[in-house]
Amino acid sequence: MSWHISLTRFASAHIVKKQDAVNSCGIACILMVNFKIKKGLMFAGLSAGSAVSAVPVPGATFAGATLSNAAIAMAVKTEPEVYRIYGDVVGTVYDGTAYTDAKKHPEVLRRLGLGNWECFWAGSDGIGAAIKAQAKAGAPCIVHVKWKAGGAHFVCIDDVHSPFGSPYACVNDPASGEVVVTELTSSPINYLDNAGVFSGWIVRRVSAP
């Protein structure tokens, strides 16, 4: 699986999923949201697994290993599994050859056990505030990018930094597998040296599991 570690100038580290098919950016973003939300559970499970394994009682080692493996399995979904879930939601077989529908993303995220989500139109003037609100709440989000040359793209944003007052989003881009630090002050918000803009659509969490 094509997962990458990307570092930013804010000394933050991010796990980025590079899309495995030309039009599977939405699926890659869902995978990143799934991992980023569940990684805390994964690390807690690994820690608890180690603690249980250290307890000198029969079966403890097995229990610790089982807990650790279950935590990892919950945190990292393979792309084909999410393809299947998305296909179940839209009622057809999905193989990554077509763009996903952002309005279907909330149900896929819900079926992954990530709480309740919505596809929300914040508009070009409100998308920056919507992204900052999600980061403050501790939840990643999926943002729609409109390319100026035509076409569209999905990215996952998991953090916002404001070192000198201006907010900068850490945009996990599945096309490159890298984090693109993007200032959130313009309207519309320009992306990748003005190659595109944040259209105003955001897939955001409205309640935790």
Side-chain angles (χ1 to χ4, degrees):
M1 298 214 325
S2 49
W3 292 84
H4 304 266
I5 298 176
S6 184
L7 305 177
T8 72
R9 62 177 182 261
F10 304 115
S12 59
H14 305 262
I15 306 296
V16 185
K17 173 71 174 72
K18 190 171 182 180
Q19 63 196 74
D20 289 343
V22 65
N23 292 325
S24 65
C25 52
I27 295 295
C29 286
I30 290 171
L31 282 157
M32 284 190 277
V33 169
N34 179 70
F35 177 79
K36 292 173 190 296
I37 288 180
K38 291 179 179 175
K39 68 179 180 182
L41 177 60
M42 179 183 72
F43 294 137
L46 290 172
S47 176
S50 298
V52 171
S53 296
V55 178
V57 295
T61 299
F62 175 77
T66 300
L67 181 58
S68 298
N69 291 337
I72 292 172
M74 178 176 283
V76 182
K77 290 281 185 178
T78 64
E79 192 148 349
E81 286 179 296
V82 179
Y83 280 179
R84 179 186 56 77
I85 294 171
Y86 181 82
D88 288 345
V89 170
V90 300
T92 188
V93 175
Y94 181 78
D95 60 5
T97 58
Y99 285 119
T100 56
D101 183 349
K103 294 179 181 179
K104 305 297 184 182
H105 291 180
E107 176 60 17
V108 176
L109 293 164
R110 186 192 69 79
R111 294 190 187 191
L112 287 168
L114 301 177
N116 294 313
W117 296 70
E118 67 176 357
C119 182
F120 178 74
W121 172 249
S124 60
D125 292 334
I127 189 66
I131 291 168
K132 288 186 287 183
Q134 282 289 282
K136 185 176 181 180
C141 58
I142 299 173
V143 172
H144 182 257
V145 175
K146 182 179 179 181
W147 298 123
K148 293 183 177 179
H153 187 48
F154 289 114
V155 295
C156 174
I157 298 177
D158 62 352
D159 207 356
V160 173
H161 299 273
S162 303
F164 309 109
S166 296
Y168 291 84
C170 294
V171 182
N172 298 242
D173 194 323
S176 63
E178 301 290 339
V179 169
V180 181
V181 174
T182 303
E183 190 171 6
L184 298 178
T185 54
S186 62
S187 180
I189 295 170
N190 292 310
Y191 183 60
L192 273 184
D193 296 326
N194 296 325
V197 296
F198 290 173
S199 69
W201 286 104
I202 179 173
V203 177
R204 64 184 185 180
R205 189 169 72 176
V206 293
S207 65

